[in-house]
Amino acid sequence: MENEIYVVGEYISGLKKRPDLVNQPCVLVYKENGLTLSVLVNEQAESFDFSYDSIDNISVNNRIVAAERTVLERNDPATYDHLLAFALVGIKGYSVTKTAEISNIAFNPIGKIDYSKRIELVVEYHTDTENRRLLLVVHNDPTEFVEYFKNM
């Protein structure tokens, strides 16, 4: 059941000394021994594991954000499919989904103001030396993800 529960979004903060990951696409997946965060970095995925013993709490913050588009943006939903395949199966899964990818480029209109709901997923965890907070902006409803942790 664990591998079927995941969230997709963008990494914001929480990993020490990794500012290069900010705003990069990511997937957070329940695995057998803990959570696995896969983040896309320069066309390659990197994974970070969090054991269940180190996770103190998982919560959600809802916000409304107003933003004006000033440049053309490429939306590629397949990116998250690739990250999920990497998180679940490793590099082999990523290779299979990358090869099967159908190019889908969509552009958003410039100058439009978007009022969007922003869902922040906060994973509070600890290391041997400190308490930390992993912050992700997620695109799918994280209710099942949070409830699964509370019922463990």
Side-chain angles (χ1 to χ4, degrees), residues 15 18 27 31 36-41 44-50 83 86-88 90:
L15 297 172
R18 292 305 305 263
V27 174
K31 299 282 279 231
T36 296
L37 174 69
S38 292
V39 183
L40 188 63
V41 184
Q44 291 188 344
E46 275 189 59
S47 285
F48 304 90
D49 295 319
F50 303 89
L83 282 172
F86 178 76
L88 296 176

Side-chain angles (χ1 to χ4, degrees), residues 9 12 14-15 20 24 27 29 52 140:
I12 302 300
L15 297 172
D20 58 317
Q24 296 301 316
V27 174
V29 179
Y52 290 128
N140 54 330

Side-chain angles (χ1 to χ4, degrees), residues 5-54:
I5 301 174
Y6 61 90
V7 290
V8 297
E10 279 83 39
Y11 168 86
I12 302 300
S13 66
L15 297 172
K16 203 170 195 173
K17 299 183 181 180
R18 292 305 305 263
D20 58 317
L21 302 180
V22 175
N23 292 324
Q24 296 301 316
C26 69
V27 174
L28 187 62
V29 179
Y30 278 100
K31 299 282 279 231
E32 191 174 312
N33 298 322
L35 295 175
T36 296
L37 174 69
S38 292
V39 183
L40 188 63
V41 184
N42 299 325
E43 300 296 322
Q44 291 188 344
E46 275 189 59
S47 285
F48 304 90
D49 295 319
F50 303 89
S51 69
Y52 290 128
D53 294 340
S54 69

Side-chain angles (χ1 to χ4, degrees), residues 48-84:
F48 304 90
D49 295 319
F50 303 89
S51 69
Y52 290 128
D53 294 340
S54 69
I55 300 170
D56 301 318
N57 190 32
I58 298 177
S59 60
V60 174
N61 296 324
N62 291 304
R63 306 196 188 291
I64 300 293
V65 177
E68 179 182 4
R69 296 203 178 128
T70 56
V71 296
L72 290 175
E73 298 174 1
R74 180 177 180 210
N75 289 337
D76 191 356
T79 299
Y80 298 104
D81 293 338
H82 298 318
L83 282 172
L84 184 59

